Amino acid sequence: MKKILVTGGCGFIGSNFIRLQLDAYPDVEIVNVDALTYAGNPENLADIDSDSRYRFEKGDIADPDFIEDLLATSNVDAVVNFAAESHVDRSILDSGPFVQTNIVGTQVMLDAARKVGVERYLQVSTDEVYGTLGKEGFFTEETPLAPNSPYSASKAAADMLVRSYFHTHKFPVIITRCSNNYGPYQFPEKLIPLFISNALNDQSLPVYGKGDNVRDWIHVMDHARGVDAALRKGVPGEVYNFGGHGELQNLELTKKLLDALDKPHSLIKYVEDRAGHDFRYAIDTAKAERELGWAPQVDFETGLRDTIDWYLGNPVWVERVKSGAYRDYYETQYGNRLGAEA
Ligand code: NAD
Ligand code: TDX
């Protein structure tokens, strides 16, 4: 698999995935298509910009003319579709862009990739399509889809389209579903980078509800290695789940973060819960371990420390992504919850 079209490569996971490809495979070539929404930041790949194996194309995955033309002229072996609207809270405020990019965009990518006949089409999905767990149990690849947020509903709809192209058109698709990622280059709207950034500025950490919701945290490089393994070793038509064996209640995690930053627990502020807030996510990774030879390698304590160090070492990156439009979102999302402080 020599030439890969990656979508959403200027975002958090896509940029880490592209860096992994270029580091691990000397012969690989990457074409990165990204619309550069609020979450897309070319600075995430500034270090590889001059690598002759890398090419960036600005564009929208839901634009059929642009995508068809690009695929017809790029001669790629595989497509990896990371591009998405990815934040649950934004999908509660406005689901329109989620339907457009996550569903229509996936349909456009599938049709264009099928037209040129790529070897593999990999859809990057999420464990959130399975809905929520109670205190016990794990999601497996057999768990029925039961999405609860507009975000996860749009990702589940995309997964259904991808699945249908395998059954109807024998198109060689693979779907991966991963739990909550953390690590360098994550936009500070998601829990871990938002709370690191707020704590460093001595601002409140807005914990939704009682903070007893549980997420299974995985380091972004473990996810990137999983997508790579699925792309190269996965069987068409199959789904592979990835998780970090890193279950934590949000409140426990928040306290760990504050302790690591040497900041007081009094920065914790309990705010109005997220509407439809899924209680718990946890992944059974047996299939990926057995069939792809993949397992998460980064333990949470080490990964969190490295992530904190990365944010401490990159204050300019943080300030730049927090300027402009992100300020308006922060005010809309947290204005009522945190009052004047937001
Ligand atoms: P992100 O929000 O950081 O990045 C998304 C990228 O997609 C951005 O660069 C953005 O500019 C680009 N994009 C958005 N709409 C586009 C469009 N119409 N055309 C082209 N590019 C567009 O997201 P992320 O956290 O890196 O997530 C990447 C993928 O992984 C998503 O599909 C998400 O659903 C999935 N995922 C994320 C997590 C997580 O914890 N973050 C977990 C499991 C799965
Ligand atoms: O301010 C906050 N306060 C808070 O208590 C934020 C932003 C979040 N939370 C809670 C909600 C969740 O229980 O923290 C948990 C994690 O929240 P997010 O970082 O928003 O992630 P989540 O909603 O779990 O979804 C993430 O994991 C799956 C990604 O954003 C998705 O793209 C991915 O598919």
Side-chain angles (χ1 to χ4, degrees), residues 11-25 44-45 47-48 82 178-186 217-230 242-244 293-300 302-304 306-307 310:
F12 164 48
I13 308 172
S15 60
N16 280 290
F17 175 79
I18 290 176
R19 196 171 286 103
L20 171 79
Q21 290 300 311
L22 294 172
D23 284 348
Y25 304 100
N44 294 357
L45 289 170
D47 54 325
I48 58 139
F82 284 97
C178 190
S179 63
N180 286 61
N181 286 220
Y182 71 96
Y185 302 102
Q186 187 168 29
W217 295 97
I218 180 172
H219 192 273
V220 64
M221 288 313 292
D222 278 331
H223 184 190
R225 281 187 279 269
V227 171
D228 179 53
F242 305 121
W294 171 92
Q297 293 171 19
V298 183
D299 80 273
F300 187 72
T302 313
L304 186 64
D306 290 352
T307 302
W310 188 86

Side-chain angles (χ1 to χ4, degrees), residues 232-244:
R232 290 163 196 276
K233 300 184 205 158
V235 175
E238 292 293 312
V239 175
Y240 301 94
N241 287 349
F242 305 121

Side-chain angles (χ1 to χ4, degrees), residues 249-268:
Q249 284 194 327
N250 292 339
L251 189 56
E252 271 177 88
L253 168 57
T254 306
K255 288 178 178 166
K256 267 183 200 287
L257 266 176
L258 286 169
D259 293 344
L261 290 164
D262 208 16
K263 294 285 181 179
H265 289 194
S266 56
L267 284 179
I268 294 172

Side-chain angles (χ1 to χ4, degrees), residues 1 41 61 84 279 339:
M1 202 152 299
N41 185 352
I61 62 160
F279 176 64

